[in-house]
Amino acid sequence: MDIFQWIDQHPLLPFTAEQRQQIARAIHGLYDENRFDKVRTLLDEVISHYRGSILASIELEKHVKTDKEHLLKELHEHLISLKSEKMIEPERALGTIAFREKLAQQNIPMVPFYAVVEFQAHVTEQQKERLEAALAKVGILDSLLTLDAIKLQEDAVIRPQPQLLGYTLADFLQPDMDGNSGISSVVVDEVLRSIPISNEGEMFSIDEQGHYTIGCLVGHAPYDGPSKFIGRTSRKRYQQEKIQETEQRITMCKNELMLLEQKIESLHEQLIQVQAWLETLPSDKHLQDLQDEISSKQLLLESEKKEQDKIDETWKKTRNELMKLRQQLREISGQLNKALTKEVLEQAIQAMDAYRSGLSQFIVWHVEIRNVNQRIKDVQLRLDEIDENIEEYHNECIDCEQAISESKAKIKSIEQQLQLEGIEQIRQRIETVQTQLKELNNLIYNVHNELPQAQQNLRTNEQNIEQTKKEVMFWQQLSSQWQQALAFELELGFIPLEQNDAVAISAQFKPILQKYERSKLLEQLSKSFLTEQAYLTEYRMMDFTEDVDKLPELVEVADDTFKLFVNEFDQKRGRRIIQMEYRGQRVSPYYLHKVLNEELIKSRHLLDEQDRELYEDIIVNSVGTILRRRIERAGQWVKEMDQIMASRDNSSGLLFSISWKPLTAETEDELDTRELIQLLQRNSKFLNEEDLNKITKHFRSRIERAKELISLRNEGVSLHQVLKEVLDYRKWFTFILSFSRVNEKKRELTNNAFFRFSGGEKAMAMYIPLFTAAYSRYKEAHDMAPYIISLDEAFAGVDEQNIRDMFEVVEQLGFNYIMNSQALWGDYDTVPSLSIAEIVRPKNADFVTVIPYKWNGKQRMLSI
């Protein structure tokens, strides 16, 4: 039929076998059991379902397109914001942002911690990353520094509590102030000295490896790439990275929008095609005309038959009723003396109707008469009751008028009598006496209540006077003892004073005394003494407490509070003395420090020329030659690695490259690696005085920094260790790994770019540089040497296509490899031959079986 031909002509419509059967059944019973509309409905359902799927796809793509457009708009706004920002800021909660805007509107000086500090020159990149990660994890990085006390809301403020002794963050960071910050560098330095760098028993501390301690919480900060916020250079670099990342996302978003528009346009074309299909659907017009004519004739015939049946039924009912009426008349005519004619029966019916009407009227009149008679009786009874009430009210009115007249006469008589006796004066006197009596009673009551309390107050005041006299005497004696202790302390002369009176001394050291506790200072002093004793053994450092005279008996005071003052004085008047031996004499550390500084200055002047000769002879000549050779060799090795990676071809079109980038100088006294290499590569005969000074200054600075780092690691400092640290040329460079795709520019392989790779691309990014490095090193071996590598759980998580590419890389590089894996066989077309061993342990047996296989490049066969 035409319908099935039409279905076959449109294979895109998803007609199932069941739907085809339903259409066939509907056509078979056409116009008898159903109409052609059912067939059309079955067709329309499939077409509507197909159209609905297209419309759903269009709406879905439009929704995705709208999301992409919003995302593109947000990315543009974010890019503009990044480019307009002077300083990139960490992510903050909305409440924190609102609170800081409020502080700015109120002109309250405040600045985040990271914006006013900078790493010191000796801090390595790894230490920078670790310190910033730890500071971010404990919440210090973005906390505020303020001068005034503020009420916090969804934010944090650092309160400086500097430690004069100990290892703090000030050894790694230094203030880096902006002129408009409103916070002084002194405050920043105090904050840096308030953060200890230690992991030994501190309630709060961090260290340069990223560890941190907060009370009972101990942790290690996660790795998040290089330093981003501490230091202007870090912030600028991070801002440029974010700008580049945002620009890349904008480009990707635009490309995705273009693809979505093309897909939506294709779906609209499919909708137009579906509408064209509907216009070509087969019609049943001719069949319907014939069916309508047959149906009309059948309806007319059935209508005439029904009309005839109705007439027959009506005639039968009428005939039966007539027979019943005739039977009733015959029965009634036997009791009446009437002729059963029409005229006689009509007269009888009229007479009966008249009688019924008169009887009904008579009944109504009888009921009305009874009701009227009853109302008359009720009214008469009510009139009798009203007459009796009127008579009673009249008698009561007469009695009331008589009583009122009598009462008025009595009142008038009493008033006349009272006027004669002076009643007004008596009333006033009575009120006065009552008031006075009430006041006297209150006064007596108050006196009785206050008398015991007044007696008790008198006794208490007498006791307080005696106690106060004892306290005055006690404070006088204690003041005298403090004056003697102060005089003894002034004689020691450890600390320079502006004035010698106690008030001036207290004002001078009040800020320090408020910030530090005596117990904490003593604890830090003991720790420093034990730490430095190992380094100062030649000076025989001693720690002892100065003997003092026994404290005289003070006036005994009952209050225990004063005994605490006595105990405090007894504890504090003793002086802890540290002395050192120098040239057979006991001297103070201050004196020794001064003498050693003077000797150090003299020694430096004497050593300058010797250092210069040492650097010229060793660094420029012998050691410089070795350094030049090794740096050239390493550079050549990097070039070979880059060429090998660039020649790798894989299915995804992803290429890698590597470069060896010289580092920049970390301090002003040092040279950039590029400039240093240029100077070392010159012939020493052509180096002028300025070049020699630069090299000498550079290595002197590096040696000093190396000494500090080695001492911080608690390692013994020796010249060999220092020179090994300074001349390690591998630390003068950094490796940069880059990637590129077909028709794309080369980009640095950052963490963000790596995590956007697919699983196979990530594997390639890890394995290809690793294989390349191993291959480039093996190339230096003898021609007969094997290129052996081994992999445990080889290529885990990599898809089949990329595993094939990895084996191709391994084969191209000529490696002799051993790999194990749970599911890997290695039978790929890129592998020409392979020995495979399957290890089987049947049903928890106490032995394993090895099944050998051979792969010949095309087929894997059991090896017997």
Side-chain angles (χ1 to χ4, degrees):
M1 290 183 63
D2 294 341
I3 292 176
F4 287 103
Q5 291 179 0
W6 184 87
I7 291 175
D8 295 335
Q9 292 172 359
H10 301 85
L12 292 178
L13 293 176
F15 285 97
T16 63
E18 183 180 357
Q19 288 173 334
R20 288 175 177 268
Q21 292 175 2
Q22 290 178 353
I23 293 171
R25 287 195 296 269
I27 293 174
H28 182 73
L30 191 63
Y31 306 126
D32 293 334
E33 299 176 359
N34 51 69
R35 300 180 61 81
F36 186 76
D37 291 341
K38 183 175 181 181
V39 180
R40 183 65 180 260
T41 301
L42 293 174
L43 296 173
D44 288 343
E45 286 179 356
V46 177
I47 296 173
S48 298
H49 179 72
Y50 182 66
R51 183 194 291 112
S53 64
I54 296 175
L55 291 173
S57 299
I58 291 174
E59 291 300 322
L60 179 61
E61 298 300 332
K62 285 183 177 179
H63 181 70
V64 174
K65 179 183 176 183
T66 303
D67 292 342
K68 290 295 181 183
E69 289 174 346
H70 289 314
L71 177 60
L72 182 61
K73 182 179 179 182
E74 292 175 358
L75 290 174
H76 278 297
E77 293 175 353
H78 184 55
L79 180 61
I80 294 172
S81 175
L82 286 174
K83 290 182 177 179
S84 61
E85 284 182 353
K86 293 183 178 179
M87 179 177 67
I88 192 167
E89 298 179 345
E91 294 183 1
R92 300 188 181 114
L94 296 177
T96 303
I97 295 173
F99 176 70
R100 296 194 179 182
E101 290 176 353
K102 181 179 178 182
L103 293 180
Q105 293 173 0
Q106 296 175 357
N107 293 325
I108 296 177
M110 57 87 184
V111 65
F113 173 80
Y114 70 85
V116 293
V117 295
E118 175 63 278
F119 285 107
Q120 295 184 11
H122 66 83
V123 182
T124 64
E125 291 298 328
Q126 182 180 3
Q127 290 176 333
K128 291 179 181 180
E129 185 274 331
R130 291 286 75 212
L131 286 172
E132 182 170 312
L135 290 172
K137 189 66 178 177
V138 301
I140 292 178
L141 185 66
D142 195 32
S143 296
L144 292 179
L145 277 67
T146 62
L147 298 178
D148 304 326
I150 59 176
K151 185 177 180 181
L152 290 174
Q153 182 178 357
E154 299 188 44
D155 210 336
V157 171
I158 304 175
R159 298 298 183 200
Q161 295 179 352
Q163 301 179 10
L164 295 180
L165 301 175
Y167 194 36
T168 65
L169 196 58
D171 295 309
F172 290 88
L173 299 179
Q174 61 188 6
D176 184 17
M177 308 304 300
D178 187 356
N180 300 324
S181 62
I183 305 298
S184 67
S185 59
V186 176
V187 175
V188 178
D189 184 68
E190 291 179 349
V191 169
L192 293 176
R193 296 184 184 280
S194 303
I195 304 172
I197 303 295
S198 173
N199 54 6
E200 300 178 357
E202 295 286 349
M203 292 302 293
F204 170 76
S205 67
I206 63 174
D207 65 14
E208 62 270 25
Q209 284 81 37
H211 297 90
Y212 60 88
T213 302
I214 307 176
C216 62
L217 177 65
V218 178
H220 184 256
Y223 290 89
D224 191 25
S227 173
K228 299 179 179 63
F229 298 103
I230 296 181
R232 303 176 190 272
T233 304
S234 297
R235 289 195 293 273
K236 189 66 177 177
R237 185 194 67 243
Y238 182 56
Q239 186 177 21
Q240 291 299 323
E241 290 177 356
K242 297 296 286 186
I243 290 173
Q244 293 177 2
E245 180 183 351
T246 305
E247 290 175 345
Q248 293 174 2
R249 292 184 62 189
I250 289 173
T251 303
M252 292 175 61
C253 192
K254 288 180 178 179
N255 294 334
E256 291 173 356
L257 277 174
M258 187 181 300
L259 293 175
L260 286 172
E261 290 174 353
Q262 294 174 358
K263 192 171 183 180
I264 291 172
E265 185 178 354
S266 174
L267 291 171
H268 279 297
E269 292 176 355
Q270 293 180 21
L271 279 179
I272 296 172
Q273 187 180 17
V274 170
Q275 187 62 35
W277 293 348
L278 284 172
E279 295 175 357
T280 62
L281 272 175
S283 172
D284 68 330
K285 185 176 183 305
H286 299 296
L287 291 175
Q288 184 65 43
D289 292 341
L290 293 174
Q291 182 65 26
D292 290 344
E293 186 176 355
I294 294 171
S295 299
S296 62
K297 296 297 183 181
Q298 289 178 346
L299 291 174
L300 179 61
L301 179 60
E302 291 177 358
S303 175
E304 291 178 352
K305 287 182 178 180
K306 290 180 180 179
E307 187 66 27
Q308 184 179 357
D309 292 339
K310 286 181 180 180
I311 294 171
D312 292 341
E313 186 70 24
T314 303
W315 181 81
K316 290 178 182 179
K317 289 181 179 180
T318 304
R319 185 171 178 278
N320 292 334
E321 290 177 357
L322 178 61
M323 296 299 291
K324 290 179 181 179
L325 288 174
R326 286 178 178 178
Q327 182 64 28
Q328 291 176 1
L329 287 175
R330 283 194 294 268
E331 291 176 356
I332 293 171
S333 63
Q335 300 175 1
L336 299 176
N337 295 323
K338 297 288 186 180
L340 296 179
T341 61
K342 182 177 181 182
E343 291 77 8
V344 173
L345 291 176
E346 287 179 352
Q347 291 175 3
I349 290 172
Q350 291 177 359
M352 183 180 65
D353 291 339
Y355 178 77
R356 285 178 177 176
S357 178
L359 181 60
S360 298
Q361 187 66 38
F362 176 77
I363 292 171
V364 171
W365 289 341
H366 176 69
V367 173
E368 289 181 354
I369 291 171
R370 288 180 62 186
N371 291 337
V372 171
N373 289 333
Q374 183 63 36
R375 286 199 296 272
I376 291 172
K377 289 180 181 180
D378 293 340
V379 171
Q380 188 62 42
L381 290 174
R382 180 63 178 161
L383 289 174
D384 294 340
E385 292 177 359
I386 291 172
D387 290 338
E388 291 177 359
N389 290 336
I390 290 172
E391 186 176 357
E392 289 177 3
Y393 291 154
H394 180 68
N395 293 332
E396 289 178 0
C397 287
I398 294 172
D399 293 338
C400 288
E401 289 177 355
Q402 186 176 358
I404 290 170
S405 299
E406 292 176 356
S407 298
K408 287 182 178 180
K410 288 181 181 180
I411 291 171
K412 186 175 182 181
S413 175
I414 292 170
E415 288 179 350
Q416 291 175 357
Q417 184 68 28
L418 289 174
Q419 291 295 332
L420 293 174
E421 295 179 359
I423 186 64
E424 292 298 331
Q425 290 80 1
I426 294 172
R427 287 177 178 171
Q428 293 177 2
R429 181 59 180 165
I430 289 171
E431 291 177 359
T432 303
V433 172
Q434 288 178 345
T435 302
Q436 292 176 353
L437 179 61
K438 185 177 181 180
E439 292 176 353
L440 290 174
N441 288 333
N442 292 335
L443 181 60
I444 292 170
Y445 178 77
N446 292 334
V447 170
H448 279 293
N449 290 337
E450 294 175 358
L451 181 60
Q453 183 65 33
Q455 292 174 349
Q456 179 64 31
N457 291 340
L458 178 61
R459 290 192 294 270
T460 302
N461 290 334
E462 290 175 351
Q463 294 175 0
N464 289 340
I465 290 172
E466 292 297 326
Q467 181 66 21
T468 303
K469 289 181 179 179
K470 291 182 179 180
E471 291 177 4
V472 170
M473 188 176 296
F474 168 80
W475 287 115
Q476 289 175 349
Q477 295 179 2
L478 186 61
S479 175
S480 176
Q481 293 296 327
W482 272 112
Q483 290 177 358
Q484 294 177 12
L486 177 62
F488 174 75
E489 183 69 25
L490 293 175
E491 290 177 359
L492 296 175
F494 286 154
I495 301 176
L497 301 175
E498 298 174 357
Q499 298 180 11
N500 290 339
D501 61 289
V503 177
I505 294 173
S506 177
Q508 181 180 352
F509 294 99
K510 183 177 181 180
I512 297 177
L513 296 175
Q514 288 178 343
K515 291 181 180 179
Y516 304 101
E517 297 180 1
R518 179 184 177 89
S519 60
K520 291 291 185 181
L521 291 175
L522 290 174
E523 181 182 352
Q524 292 182 3
L525 177 61
S526 300
K527 186 183 295 184
S528 300
F529 179 83
L530 295 174
T531 303
E532 302 299 332
Q533 192 173 25
Y535 302 103
L536 302 175
T537 53
E538 60 180 304
Y539 298 104
R540 299 180 184 179
M541 190 164 53
M542 294 179 57
D543 178 16
F544 62 93
T545 304
E546 185 74 21
D547 295 333
V548 294
D549 296 335
K550 184 178 180 182
L551 186 68
E553 295 293 336
L554 298 176
V555 176
E556 294 184 1
V557 183
D559 194 348
D560 291 339
T561 304
F562 294 95
K563 294 181 180 179
L564 295 176
F565 287 113
V566 175
N567 293 333
E568 181 183 4
F569 173 70
D570 193 20
Q571 294 174 359
K572 293 183 178 180
R573 68 184 183 133
R575 186 67 158 98
R576 187 174 176 182
I577 303 297
I578 296 177
Q579 290 184 346
M580 309 176 80
E581 185 174 319
Y582 180 70
R583 295 182 179 178
Q585 296 181 352
R586 285 289 173 183
V587 296
S588 68
Y590 302 101
Y591 174 79
L592 183 60
H593 179 265
K594 179 181 178 182
V595 172
L596 292 179
N597 273 338
E598 293 175 354
E599 292 181 356
L600 180 61
I601 293 171
K602 293 179 181 179
S603 299
R604 284 179 177 173
H605 288 299
L606 294 175
L607 290 175
D608 281 344
E609 291 300 325
Q610 298 176 3
D611 288 346
R612 180 182 178 86
E613 294 175 1
L614 174 66
Y615 295 140
E616 290 181 0
D617 182 47
I618 298 178
I619 301 300
V620 178
N621 297 325
S622 59
V623 179
T625 302
I626 298 174
L627 285 175
R628 285 194 295 271
R629 291 175 182 175
R630 294 197 175 184
I631 291 173
E632 291 174 356
R633 175 183 170 189
Q636 184 64 31
W637 176 59
V638 173
K639 290 180 181 179
E640 291 178 359
M641 287 178 60
D642 186 63
Q643 292 174 358
I644 293 171
M645 286 193 288
S647 64
R648 297 301 99 204
D649 187 14
N650 55 72
S651 59
S652 63
L654 185 64
L655 298 178
F656 298 93
S657 62
I658 193 170
S659 61
W660 205 31
K661 181 180 178 182
L663 296 177
T664 58
E666 298 182 3
T667 64
E668 294 181 357
D669 295 336
E670 297 180 10
L671 299 173
D672 292 341
T673 300
R674 189 182 304 278
E675 184 178 0
L676 177 63
I677 297 303
Q678 291 175 354
L679 293 176
L680 291 177
Q681 288 177 343
R682 290 185 190 175
N683 193 321
S684 59
K685 298 178 180 179
F686 301 105
L687 291 175
N688 55 31
E689 187 71 19
E690 183 181 358
D691 295 334
L692 291 174
N693 288 334
K694 287 182 179 180
I695 296 175
T696 303
K697 194 175 181 180
H698 170 82
F699 282 105
R700 181 184 290 118
S701 175
R702 294 297 298 270
I703 288 173
E704 292 297 328
R705 287 180 53 204
K707 289 180 180 179
E708 293 177 1
L709 292 175
I710 293 174
S711 64
L712 290 175
R713 295 197 294 262
N714 294 325
E715 299 176 358
V717 180
S718 65
L719 180 61
H720 180 268
Q721 287 177 307
V722 173
L723 291 177
K724 181 180 178 181
E725 184 79 18
V726 171
L727 299 178
D728 189 355
Y729 67 92
R730 295 173 297 177
K731 297 181 181 180
W732 300 358
F733 299 83
T734 181
F735 284 101
I736 303 297
L737 188 62
S738 304
F739 72 99
S740 63
R741 301 181 189 274
V742 179
N743 298 326
E744 290 186 4
K745 294 181 179 180
K746 183 170 67 174
R747 290 176 289 173
E748 182 180 351
L749 183 58
T750 61
N751 288 338
N752 291 333
F754 178 79
F755 289 124
R756 286 198 294 268
F757 284 173
S758 64
E761 291 174 338
K762 289 180 180 178
M764 294 172 66
M766 292 186 294
Y767 283 114
I768 288 179
L770 183 64
F771 290 159
T772 304
Y775 175 74
S776 62
R777 297 301 295 170
Y778 275 137
K779 286 187 65 177
E780 298 180 3
H782 192 273
D783 294 338
M784 298 297 293
Y787 291 5
I788 299 175
I789 64 170
S790 62
L791 296 178
D792 184 24
E793 291 296 334
F795 308 129
V798 184
D799 58 85
E800 287 294 320
Q801 180 60 37
N802 283 295
I803 292 178
R804 175 187 175 277
D805 294 342
M806 289 294 99
F807 270 102
E808 184 178 10
V809 172
V810 173
E811 291 291 340
Q812 288 177 354
L813 295 178
F815 283 126
N816 306 106
Y817 51 88
I818 302 173
M819 302 182 187
N820 64 46
S821 172
Q822 182 180 1
L824 186 66
W825 286 89
D827 47 357
Y828 297 97
D829 58 344
T830 56
V831 181
S833 63
L834 191 66
S835 296
I836 305 171
E838 181 184 11
I839 298 176
V840 181
R841 184 185 181 188
K843 295 184 178 180
N844 199 29
D846 57 356
F847 62 89
V848 294
T849 300
V850 180
I851 303 175
Y853 295 91
K854 285 288 186 179
W855 168 253
N856 58 10
K858 296 181 180 180
Q859 185 179 4
R860 184 179 64 195
M861 297 176 293
L862 189 65
S863 178
I864 301 175

